[in-house]
Amino acid sequence: MFDFSLPAQAWQDLVAHAKDEVYAPAQVSFEGDPLGTVGIRFKGSIGTLSSCFDAQGKLTCPKLSMKLGFDEYVADTRFFGLKRLNLHSMVWDESKLHERLAYDLYRTTGVVAPRSTWAVVRVNGESFGLYSMVEQIDGRFTRDRFPTQGNGNLYKEAWPLASDADYYARHLETDAVTPGAAAHSAFLDFHAALSAASSAAEARSALGERMDLGYLANYMAVDDAIANVDGVTAAYIGADPHQYQNHNFYVYLEEQRDFFWLIPWDMDATFGPRGDFEAIPHWNSASPDCARAYTVWGGASVVSAACDPLFRALAADQNAYQSAVDTLLAGDFSEETLVSNIDRHAAFIAAAVAADPKGPGLPAWQANVAALKAKVPLLRERLLHLRDRVPSTPLILSTLRKNDFEGLDAFAVALAGAPAASANSEVGVSLEAQSALSGTKDLRLDFTYRNAGDPPANPWGQWIYFLLAIENAPPKLVSGMRLRLRADQARSLRIDLQSPLYDAPSEGIKFGWDVAVGPQASLVEVRFADAALPSWARPT
């Protein structure tokens, strides 16, 4: 347990300016032992920091991730040798297990990765509950992991895709050599060698001169096993479709030779295949569509990682990757081992989860742990598909033909997108073949809403989401949709349109339709021209 103490106004100011990510001094003790004055600040990216505040600056997330700077105010202060430590809020990981499981898997395959466990945090006597405690990747980290080559340059989210030194300078975390263009010549040469390669064999040779191909194969085997959709393969694009940026990794350049090592980071968006990302050709795809941009969460656009020169070079020989996948499937990613590790870690944090005033609560957490274990067979099957370059096509609704689900299997439906629910609700999706609405198969959604407390503390806080992707088509060809629907009893069903054109996509109020459904199957037609805000919403 960490106990932080600082003036109440200083804490309020820290929260109010959380997005500035500026340290403030605080007295801290760990397990009752005082550590003195350390720096504390909030940290995160879009999903865990900026999106946690509404338009008026009000905090909307139950807790924020923090970074501790033990040497920020007293130079020689350390925490078990560490200068920095991360406390991650895990607001998007209801199981609270993703980081520990993921980093353990990387390390067991020989990939350099930070250590991770859990901690309970109190500020001025108030409990903020359970956090994931993750080792900082910095110069101390590289000197520990690379004892004879540990004083090189460490970059965050730099990729050999730019021909200007400024790009690499912006991503530099620790500067161990002469600043300026010379400091980044290894990265510039790396980019030039990959760009100049005239064949897959030549590109692979250039890659092997600068990175360990076996290490990369192990990295990608774990990355694929845990469905790390927001990692090195998520090539986000901005205004320039030819420039992209991947996320959540570090690259370390050795001290005395031009050799790079990939280090994973930020594991909350793992262990849950998403339909929007599954529709993108995989990094080892032999025939990606490199002219196409794919829309993923929040309306962001990505291109296929298979179009990146580094991944093309790595995919030119599949043997090491396939061997790494087989080793995982037979070992630490076997169903027996992975479920056993989930149970072991869950037992370790159960009491802290139950006592967490800002967490999901014990019943909801237990349901999420059970859901995580239930995903293990799906994740293993998915990994086999990726190993063998077998397309894992998720369910995507067509705008040009009838969607009858007859040609689908349960795996395609599972890959369409993991359904999500509020803390006190449950949701599941299946391919129904017992009493289909028509034909022999339909899509079934089962959900349970539960009010929390009596009277409920948040009576309008129950929700579930199951997002269905619709394939690209000329808009003028599509005027609406027809759906055959049935419910267990008379209900009002809300159908919303999700679109990248929304200015505030996370506000929760969208155009769509309210339709009546009941125990008898009925054909419902909704036209885009008739889409409207919910009757209770106030247009702005």
Side-chain angles (χ1 to χ4, degrees):
M1 175 181 287
F2 282 102
D3 271 293
F4 298 99
S5 177
L6 66 167
Q9 186 60 51
W11 175 250
Q12 293 172 13
D13 291 343
L14 199 63
V15 174
H17 300 283
K19 290 186 283 187
D20 295 339
E21 299 188 77
V22 175
Y23 282 108
Q27 296 297 309
V28 63
S29 65
F30 177 71
E31 298 295 324
D33 294 329
L35 301 176
T37 302
V38 305
I40 179 174
R41 69 170 174 85
F42 295 110
K43 67 176 292 287
S45 57
I46 295 174
T48 55
L49 184 57
S50 59
S51 67
C52 285
F53 292 86
D54 63 18
Q56 289 71 44
K58 181 181 177 182
L59 179 64
T60 57
C61 292
K63 62 177 85 170
L64 296 174
S65 296
M66 304 181 206
K67 186 182 289 291
L68 307 182
F70 294 100
D71 66 338
E72 186 69 20
Y73 298 102
V74 182
D76 60 352
T77 300
R78 299 289 187 273
F79 178 73
F80 294 97
L82 303 182
K83 291 182 178 181
R84 297 285 191 271
L85 186 66
N86 300 281
L87 296 170
H88 291 160
S89 62
M90 303 184 289
V91 292
W92 299 112
D93 173 15
E94 293 288 3
S95 76
K96 313 304 178 188
L97 300 173
H98 290 179
E99 289 202 305
R100 177 59 188 268
L101 291 168
Y103 288 133
D104 282 355
L105 282 166
Y106 283 111
R107 280 198 304 277
T108 59
T109 63
V111 172
V112 173
R115 293 170 292 177
S116 173
T117 184
W118 298 270
V120 173
V121 173
R122 289 193 307 206
V123 178
N124 292 336
E126 178 187 357
S127 176
F128 280 74
L130 187 68
Y131 283 76
S132 170
M133 183 165 67
V134 182
E135 182 180 14
Q136 177 67 21
I137 299 175
D138 55 13
R140 184 217 56 81
F141 178 95
T142 58
R143 287 187 293 273
D144 179 76
R145 301 318 198 271
F146 305 93
T148 63
Q149 295 282 344
N151 289 312
N153 275 13
L154 179 68
Y155 298 85
K156 186 175 184 181
E157 299 177 347
W159 203 250
L161 53 75
S163 57
D164 63 287
D166 288 344
Y167 165 82
Y168 303 106
R170 290 194 301 271
H171 292 268
L172 186 64
E173 290 285 299
T174 62
D175 191 356
V177 296
T178 305
H184 313 297
S185 60
F187 245 134
L188 293 168
D189 291 345
F190 193 1
H191 165 69
L194 289 175
S195 301
S198 58
S199 66
E202 186 177 335
R204 187 171 176 84
S205 176
L207 176 60
E209 291 174 2
R210 294 163 177 83
M211 299 188 82
D212 186 306
L213 296 176
Y215 179 96
L216 283 177
N218 289 342
Y219 188 108
M220 296 314 302
V222 177
D223 221 57
D224 289 342
I226 63 176
N228 187 15
V229 297
D230 200 27
V232 291
T233 60
Y236 293 93
I237 58 175
D240 181 1
H242 303 291
Q243 188 75 14
Y244 54 87
Q245 179 63 60
N246 43 4
H247 285 284
N248 297 326
F249 64 92
Y250 286 80
V251 173
Y252 177 61
L253 171 62
E254 285 191 7
E255 179 181 350
Q256 296 174 355
R257 63 171 180 158
D258 293 349
F259 208 76
F260 298 88
W261 298 91
L262 196 57
I263 304 170
W265 184 247
D266 197 355
M267 296 289 112
D268 58 339
T270 52
F271 293 97
R274 291 177 52 93
D276 44 4
F277 282 93
E278 295 298 328
I280 305 167
H282 193 55
W283 68 267
N284 67 346
S285 172
S287 55
D289 182 354
C290 295
R292 179 179 174 184
Y294 299 83
T295 301
V296 294
W297 50 21
S301 295
V302 298
V303 294
S304 170
C307 301
D308 177 84
L310 189 153
F311 285 117
R312 281 178 175 171
L314 185 62
D317 186 339
Q318 296 282 300
N319 290 329
Y321 168 72
Q322 291 170 342
S323 177
V325 168
D326 289 341
T327 300
L328 266 178
L329 289 169
D332 290 304
F333 209 69
S334 69
E335 186 167 354
E336 180 182 3
T337 300
L338 190 54
V339 169
S340 175
N341 287 336
I342 291 172
D343 286 337
R344 177 167 55 90
H345 294 319
F348 181 70
I349 64 173
V353 171
D356 189 343
K358 299 181 182 295
L362 191 61
W365 171 75
Q366 290 171 331
N368 279 283
V369 171
L372 176 60
K373 291 194 290 185
K375 290 177 188 174
V376 172
L378 167 69
L379 290 167
R380 284 174 51 83
E381 186 174 356
R382 174 183 180 272
L383 185 57
L384 284 169
H385 279 65
L386 298 179
R387 181 199 66 181
D388 298 334
R389 284 181 162 180
V390 175
S392 301
T393 306
L395 165 60
I396 299 177
L397 297 180
S398 172
T399 54
L400 304 176
R401 58 176 176 78
K402 180 180 178 181
N403 294 275
D404 56 14
F405 310 116
E406 305 296 332
L408 293 178
D409 57 22
F411 187 55
V413 173
L415 288 178
S422 57
N424 295 306
S425 302
E426 294 179 10
V427 59
V429 180
S430 60
L431 197 62
E432 170 66 41
Q434 299 301 316
S435 57
L437 291 166
S438 61
T440 59
K441 295 180 183 178
D442 65 16
L443 199 62
R444 174 170 172 148
L445 192 68
D446 288 281
F447 56 93
T448 302
Y449 287 157
R450 293 189 184 92
N451 286 318
D454 186 19
N458 188 13
W460 298 102
Q462 307 88 0
W463 52 266
I464 63 162
Y465 279 112
F466 179 60
L467 302 182
L468 283 172
I470 302 176
E471 68 180 3
N472 291 338
K476 291 183 179 179
L477 293 181
V478 184
S479 61
M481 298 182 291
R482 292 189 183 94
L483 305 93
R484 191 173 295 277
L485 301 170
R486 180 174 63 215
D488 60 335
Q489 64 185 57
R491 296 186 182 277
S492 175
L493 175 69
R494 176 71 186 178
I495 303 173
D496 280 340
L497 284 171
Q498 179 78 19
S499 168
L501 298 180
Y502 282 118
D503 291 329
S506 62
E507 289 296 319
I509 302 175
K510 297 177 172 62
F511 286 86
W513 310 269
D514 291 300
V515 299
V517 294
Q520 299 300 317
S522 60
L523 187 66
V524 174
E525 182 177 285
V526 291
R527 293 185 172 273
F528 294 135
D530 300 330
L533 292 174
S535 58
W536 47 266
R538 184 173 66 252
T540 58

